Amino acid sequence: MQSTTTVPFPSLDPRTGEERRRFLDATPDELGKALAAAARSFTVWGDFDPALRVTVLRGISEELSARRDQLTATAAAETGLTGQRLAGEIERTRLQLIQFAELLENGGHFDAVIDPATPDRPDVRRVDVPLGPVAVFAASNFPFAFGVAGTDTAAALAAGCPVVVKGHPSHPETSELIAAAVHTALAAAGAPDGVFHLLQGSGLGIARALVTAPGITAVAFTGSLTGGRALFDLAASRPRPIPVYAEMGSLNPVFLLPGALADAAVRLADAFVESLTASNGQLCTKPGVTFVPRGESGDRFVARAVDRAGEYPPGTMLNRPMWRHLVAGAAELADRPGVTVLAGGSAPDGEGSSFPASLVETGLDTFLTDPALAEERFGPFGVLVRYDTPGDLVRAVASLDGHLTATVHLGPGDEDDGRRLAAGLTGKVGRLVWNGWPTGVAVTDAMHHGGPYPASTSAAHTSVGTGGIARFLRPVAFQNSPQSQLPAPLRDSNPLGITRRVAGALTTESITGTTTTEGRAHA
Amino acid sequence: MQSTTTVPFPSLDPRTGEERRRFLDATPDELGKALAAAARSFTVWGDFDPALRVTVLRGISEELSARRDQLTATAAAETGLTGQRLAGEIERTRLQLIQFAELLENGGHFDAVIDPATPDRPDVRRVDVPLGPVAVFAASNFPFAFGVAGTDTAAALAAGCPVVVKGHPSHPETSELIAAAVHTALAAAGAPDGVFHLLQGSGLGIARALVTAPGITAVAFTGSLTGGRALFDLAASRPRPIPVYAEMGSLNPVFLLPGALADAAVRLADAFVESLTASNGQLCTKPGVTFVPRGESGDRFVARAVDRAGEYPPGTMLNRPMWRHLVAGAAELADRPGVTVLAGGSAPDGEGSSFPASLVETGLDTFLTDPALAEERFGPFGVLVRYDTPGDLVRAVASLDGHLTATVHLGPGDEDDGRRLAAGLTGKVGRLVWNGWPTGVAVTDAMHHGGPYPASTSAAHTSVGTGGIARFLRPVAFQNSPQSQLPAPLRDSNPLGITRRVAGALTTESITGTTTTEGRAHA
């Protein structure tokens, strides 16, 4: 590979359109060096002893904390997100890092299973090992939590995988600052060179080169369906295919059942608009379509939501392409037959990249026949679908593609309809929310942030919560191994003191008296 | 889809070449009906209550037992495998079914995680749910254990997924008999129509139609690299991609260290030839390449192995195409520079499809430079690679692709070399065997039967052992759910009595006093 010159791309302030700095796309030469260093570092970084990784994960958290003010100010200038929102996001990013450190300290990532020998078969023990160097594509809308040291990077580093991150071109200066924090933490812990590398880039070339590089063993991505599918297709067509864990957003349907609205239409409308406009609607869990019963209480919900949307000051979109996409999408929907614009719907006059909270209304039959209404529109934009009776919602559920989330609001008398909806929705989503809102993804063991295609390319995997580490691990079984040759998590003495499944039962005890056999040819 | 007529394909006795019966490829109409019935059955079959599935899995095991004699005789006539080998395989197949039934009874497949609400976040609970209808491609070499009701079908049925099996055209009558056993067990348990369907077929058309059918949610396959990769590519190119779990065999390198041979060269040679010729070498875990030190003890190993190979009566290959492939492959290797045929190497005169135990020898440098030596050759055929010092084996390990297994034999003085080999091999294989042989895959919790590509298309998944159920499940999180709307495995009262991870700790206890919240817009 040779160095090639690249065209600089700018860091822009979406609030003003002002150019802040220029950045260069990473060259093939830089990528080649990063991959070679990542491969060299893997032996040390992927060791069965997770102590170094624990130190580094905690160190990154500390470094992010120490740089909070600079990180927040820079990200605000590059994304238009508020300082308060960004400060909260840094805390969430730190929580992610610390939860993975705790997981490693408890040995929960090993998934150690020991089946001592029986008269019929040899001793077999299994433990999870890291895949190898991993490519992470950072998101535009969470410069920290899904950014250069976000949930994907944290999970891969925790697993023992060196990480090459492609930063999002929408906030390159923020990416650079985060990368500096990571490098400081790695150096302080004495980690080998190559564990982490940030590639900047606005073009497709570096992304393609990264995903097709022979040394890369898995890809994590958060972004659009188009982008995620392109990476998936590239990875599947490699001589040696690798998994792509792409979280590609969704419509996140919300079902308001009549009983829920009876006494609470106003309160629910307020909460709905708060969820719709959180981070200016630029969340992959935004409630993009909401099913509202026809009739008096539904009308009250809609009227209140329209009022609240009107009070919401137009917010700045993350970048100009995203703003243009929303402007065009809103205009397209406004022209569809059977669709009424109730609030917002077009950009205010002037420069900037702002857009108002917008609501359009349609009927269930129109929704079911016009696919444009089921497209995700990033930004503070929601579709309200009016239905006659809860029984009609069965058709709506059947029509749904895979989604990250679905939400049901139920009240007195809605229990049976709720059960019917839940039965159908469980087959369509990664998370089912009751009497709440889909925005806000709790960083916890039980969280599942993913879902059937097209919400993600791997329905079995989450990108949020400690479960996300599974994306970067694979099991290896050790058969009839001498104790001295076993990895520490599998030794009889349980030197790490971890929980293991031994002969079918979970235990932290050590094992006495296992033996190895010799020379049995086959079972 | 319409019915189309198809050309009949024969069931042949590979021992004689005699035609037994003719079978028809399934038509698109049959496939369409099978898929529609599978989709209809999913609601009942995929229920959170696994009782029906437990009954059916145990019932299939009983039905196989009751039909043992007919199954064994028919399979022997269609595969050329011995009655003893096939009777053992039926027992293994029953064990697989019963282990999955036990897993369901213990609730181990739910992977239930409960994080009760905290002041910072809502209650979140997660449980695994089945994917939907699954396609299984049965293998040629294990008519029972990897056949129509083999490990893939058992895992998918246990998960709650209806199964459409493509039977292997090499033993259609055996497939038909197994399918009858499955249908009897389903009917006796009162299972809905459509849970299971066998498609016969010798052409590619029905395979392609099955993998690209919109209603199919995952594919399991055991067979060749060419076949597995073709299915993987088809599935990845679908509008809605689905996972393909293809186990595609491997070379299964064996490393004999000098200390292991010092006192045991003869015994190890006997065991090696037993492993090489088990099931006439038609196992995906056959030791296809064995690294033997140069010098006296290595020479003794080789001489004894050649003697034992010569004593092995030529065995019948599973089918004529496999035999032709081996004949051609053996002839190709015999002509390579630096390769010496030590035993066998060509088919005996006469009809039939038999082939003798065959060994070729080469040096490490030739092995590292001639890719023909690293190709899998199905049948009783092994490559012996002579090396000078254990330090040279580092290059051999570095050259390896992904394999199902690797094996190390070590003795006094080999400990450090063993550690070096293990470190490298752990990154290349799904199972590392010590002082044993790779053939014989224990059906147990800790087993991992899979490996990095090209051994399989999904290094994180096993096709043998209870872990194989994970291929057909995905997690769904339930947030802030009323108790009455939660699936049984996640209810506070723990009505199923299963082990769950509650607030980070594993427990079978019920939970008291959790609450749901309302209306928080986002975190």
Side-chain angles (χ1 to χ4, degrees):
Chain A
M1 274 193 268
Q2 295 188 316
S3 294
T4 54
T5 53
T6 59
V7 181
F9 69 95
S11 160
L12 297 171
D13 188 329
R15 300 171 299 194
T16 61
E18 182 198 337
E19 180 176 318
R20 294 167 48 80
R21 257 178 69 189
R22 292 189 164 213
F23 288 80
L24 287 171
D25 276 30
T27 61
D29 186 53
E30 181 185 344
L31 173 60
K33 285 178 177 159
L35 292 168
R40 281 194 304 272
S41 75
F42 180 45
T43 315
V44 170
W45 188 251
D47 196 82
F48 280 106
D49 182 344
L52 174 64
R53 306 203 293 276
V54 169
T55 303
V56 168
L57 291 167
R58 292 193 183 281
I60 299 171
S61 169
E62 289 305 305
E63 291 296 328
L64 293 178
S65 182
R67 296 159 201 235
R68 183 192 327 259
D69 292 347
Q70 188 189 13
L71 286 168
T72 306
T74 305
E78 284 191 308
T79 66
L81 295 167
T82 68
Q84 187 188 3
R85 153 75 167 75
L86 291 164
E89 192 188 330
I90 291 176
E91 286 313 298
R92 174 181 164 165
T93 308
R94 296 183 62 209
L95 175 63
Q96 292 170 168
L97 291 157
I98 289 166
Q99 283 189 352
F100 280 117
E102 289 171 349
L103 179 73
L104 298 187
E105 285 167 331
N106 296 331
H109 64 296
F110 286 124
D111 195 18
V113 182
I114 298 178
D115 289 324
T118 70
D120 297 325
R121 54 156 185 78
D123 181 288
V124 182
R125 305 176 182 221
R126 191 185 76 202
V127 68
D128 279 1
V129 303
L131 295 181
V134 158
V136 169
F137 288 80
S140 64
N141 61 336
F142 278 93
F144 303 115
F146 291 82
V148 163
T151 184
D152 292 332
T153 296
L157 288 180
C161 298
V163 173
V164 180
V165 187
K166 162 75 173 56
H168 199 281
S170 190
H171 51 254
E173 195 172 338
T174 306
S175 298
E176 193 178 74
L177 290 172
I178 301 168
V182 175
H183 282 296
T184 300
L186 283 165
D193 284 345
V195 168
F196 172 88
H197 189 90
L198 167 65
L199 299 171
Q200 300 275 19
S202 65
L204 291 177
I206 198 73
R208 195 172 288 135
L210 180 56
V211 172
T212 57
I216 290 295
T217 59
V219 177
F221 167 90
T222 308
S224 69
L225 176 58
T226 311
R229 181 68 194 247
L231 298 186
F232 175 87
D233 289 343
L234 267 179
S237 67
R238 292 166 47 117
R240 179 191 299 267
I242 56 175
V244 172
Y245 303 107
E247 188 272 85
M248 304 180 291
S250 74
L251 259 191
N252 306 299
V254 174
F255 298 86
L256 301 175
L257 290 173
L261 287 180
D263 292 331
V266 167
R267 183 175 57 73
L268 289 176
D270 291 355
F272 162 65
V273 174
E274 190 181 343
S275 179
L276 183 79
T277 58
S279 299
N280 203 34
Q282 299 165 114
L283 300 176
C284 47
T285 53
K286 183 197 75 176
V289 59
T290 302
F291 295 86
V292 187
R294 293 193 193 278
E296 192 273 330
S297 66
D299 288 347
R300 265 190 294 136
F301 173 89
V302 171
R304 176 71 172 198
V306 169
D307 284 352
R308 293 311 295 255
E311 293 164 13
Y312 177 79
T316 301
M317 296 294 287
L318 288 163
N319 55 50
R320 197 73 181 169
M322 208 170 269
W323 176 84
R324 274 196 295 267
H325 199 73
L326 179 57
V327 168
E332 181 198 357
L333 280 196
D335 284 343
R336 310 299 277 198
V339 176
T340 310
V341 178
L342 299 182
S346 58
D349 290 336
E351 309 253 313
S353 298
S354 68
F355 203 87
S358 304
L359 293 170
V360 302
E361 187 180 52
T362 192
L364 182 57
D365 286 331
T366 305
F367 177 79
L368 292 176
T369 50
D370 187 347
L373 287 160
E375 274 179 43
E376 188 184 7
R377 316 269 171 196
F378 226 57
F381 188 96
V383 176
L384 303 174
V385 179
R386 304 300 295 268
Y387 68 90
D388 290 323
T389 70
D392 296 341
L393 294 176
V394 172
R395 285 188 297 147
V397 172
S399 81
L400 293 176
D401 237 335
H403 292 266
L404 295 170
T405 75
T407 298
V408 179
H409 281 268
L410 86 179
D414 292 329
E415 289 78 8
D416 288 346
D417 290 320
R419 256 182 289 278
R420 264 188 292 276
L421 283 177
L425 291 170
T426 300
K428 303 278 191 171
V429 306
R431 179 165 52 112
L432 184 55
V433 181
W434 293 89
N435 292 337
W437 302 94
T439 46
V441 182
V443 181
T444 185
D445 289 344
M447 178 48 63
H448 187 77
H449 186 60
Y453 191 90
S456 86
T457 51
S458 182
H461 293 91
T462 179
S463 67
V464 174
T466 48
I469 199 170
R471 296 173 292 171
F472 308 113
L473 296 168
R474 66 179 176 89
V476 177
F478 297 83
Q479 180 173 322
N480 193 41
S481 178
Q483 286 295 311
S484 62
Q485 296 286 351
L486 276 172
L490 296 181
R491 279 181 215 143
D492 281 355
S493 59
N494 195 11
L496 305 180
I498 60 174
T499 300
R500 313 187 290 189
R501 184 177 297 274
V502 178
L506 291 161
T507 175
T508 58
E509 298 291 305
S510 60
I511 302 171
T512 50
T514 64
T515 55
T516 57
T517 58
E518 263 197 88
R520 283 202 316 207
H522 61 281
Chain B
M1 275 191 268
Q2 295 188 316
S3 294
T4 55
T5 52
T6 59
V7 181
F9 69 95
S11 161
L12 298 172
D13 187 328
R15 301 170 298 192
T16 60
E18 182 197 336
E19 180 175 318
R20 294 166 47 80
R21 257 179 68 190
R22 295 192 159 207
F23 288 81
L24 287 171
D25 276 31
T27 61
D29 186 52
E30 181 185 344
L31 173 60
K33 285 177 177 159
L35 291 168
R40 280 194 305 271
S41 75
F42 180 47
T43 315
V44 170
W45 188 250
D47 195 83
F48 281 105
D49 183 343
L52 175 62
R53 306 202 293 277
V54 169
T55 303
V56 169
L57 292 167
R58 292 194 182 280
I60 299 172
S61 169
E62 290 305 304
E63 291 297 328
L64 293 179
S65 181
R67 294 158 202 235
R68 184 192 326 260
D69 292 347
Q70 188 188 14
L71 287 169
T72 305
T74 306
E78 284 191 309
T79 66
L81 294 168
T82 67
Q84 189 189 3
R85 152 76 167 77
L86 290 164
E89 191 188 330
I90 290 176
E91 286 313 299
R92 174 180 164 165
T93 307
R94 296 183 62 209
L95 175 63
Q96 292 170 168
L97 291 157
I98 289 167
Q99 283 189 351
F100 279 118
E102 289 171 350
L103 179 74
L104 298 187
E105 284 168 333
N106 296 330
H109 64 295
F110 287 125
D111 195 18
V113 183
I114 298 178
D115 290 323
T118 70
D120 298 324
R121 55 156 184 76
D123 181 287
V124 183
R125 307 176 181 219
R126 192 186 74 202
V127 69
D128 279 1
V129 303
L131 295 180
V134 158
V136 169
F137 287 79
S140 64
N141 61 335
F142 278 92
F144 303 115
F146 291 82
V148 163
T151 184
D152 293 332
T153 296
L157 288 179
C161 297
V163 173
V164 180
V165 187
K166 163 75 172 56
H168 199 282
S170 191
H171 51 254
E173 194 173 338
T174 306
S175 299
E176 193 177 75
L177 290 173
I178 301 169
V182 175
H183 282 296
T184 301
L186 283 164
D193 284 345
V195 168
F196 173 88
H197 191 90
L198 166 65
L199 300 171
Q200 301 274 16
S202 65
L204 292 175
I206 198 72
R208 193 172 289 136
L210 180 56
V211 172
T212 57
I216 291 294
T217 59
V219 177
F221 167 90
T222 307
S224 70
L225 175 58
T226 310
R229 181 65 193 248
L231 297 186
F232 175 87
D233 289 344
L234 267 178
S237 67
R238 290 166 49 117
R240 179 192 299 266
I242 56 174
V244 172
Y245 304 107
E247 189 271 84
M248 304 180 292
S250 74
L251 259 192
N252 307 298
V254 174
F255 298 86
L256 301 176
L257 290 173
L261 287 180
D263 292 330
V266 167
R267 185 175 54 74
L268 289 175
D270 291 355
F272 162 65
V273 174
E274 190 182 344
S275 179
L276 183 79
T277 57
S279 298
N280 203 35
Q282 300 165 114
L283 299 176
C284 46
T285 52
K286 183 198 73 176
V289 58
T290 302
F291 295 86
V292 186
R294 292 195 194 278
E296 191 272 331
S297 67
D299 289 346
R300 266 191 295 136
F301 173 88
V302 171
R304 174 74 172 195
V306 169
D307 284 352
R308 294 310 296 256
E311 296 164 13
Y312 177 79
T316 300
M317 296 293 289
L318 288 163
N319 56 49
R320 196 75 182 170
M322 207 171 269
W323 176 83
R324 274 197 294 268
H325 199 72
L326 179 56
V327 169
E332 181 197 356
L333 280 196
D335 284 343
R336 310 300 278 197
V339 175
T340 310
V341 178
L342 300 182
S346 60
D349 290 338
E351 308 253 314
S353 297
S354 68
F355 203 86
S358 304
L359 293 170
V360 303
E361 187 180 55
T362 191
L364 182 57
D365 286 332
T366 305
F367 177 79
L368 292 176
T369 49
D370 186 348
L373 287 160
E375 273 179 45
E376 187 185 7
R377 315 269 171 197
F378 225 58
F381 187 96
V383 176
L384 302 174
V385 179
R386 304 300 295 267
Y387 68 90
D388 290 323
T389 71
D392 295 340
L393 294 176
V394 172
R395 285 188 296 148
V397 172
S399 81
L400 292 176
D401 236 334
H403 292 267
L404 294 170
T405 75
T407 298
V408 179
H409 281 268
L410 85 179
D414 292 329
E415 290 77 7
D416 288 346
D417 289 321
R419 255 183 288 279
R420 264 188 291 276
L421 281 178
L425 291 171
T426 300
K428 304 277 190 170
V429 305
R431 177 165 56 111
L432 184 55
V433 180
W434 292 89
N435 292 338
W437 301 95
T439 45
V441 182
V443 181
T444 186
D445 290 345
M447 178 47 63
H448 187 76
H449 186 61
Y453 191 90
S456 87
T457 51
S458 182
H461 293 90
T462 180
S463 68
V464 174
T466 48
I469 199 171
R471 296 172 293 171
F472 309 113
L473 296 168
R474 67 180 175 87
V476 176
F478 297 83
Q479 180 172 320
N480 193 43
S481 177
Q483 286 295 312
S484 61
Q485 297 286 350
L486 276 172
L490 296 180
R491 279 183 213 140
D492 282 356
S493 59
N494 194 12
L496 304 181
I498 60 174
T499 300
R500 313 187 290 189
R501 183 175 299 274
V502 178
L506 291 163
T507 175
T508 57
E509 299 290 306
S510 61
I511 304 170
T512 52
T514 64
T515 55
T516 57
T517 57
E518 263 197 88
R520 283 204 313 210
H522 63 281

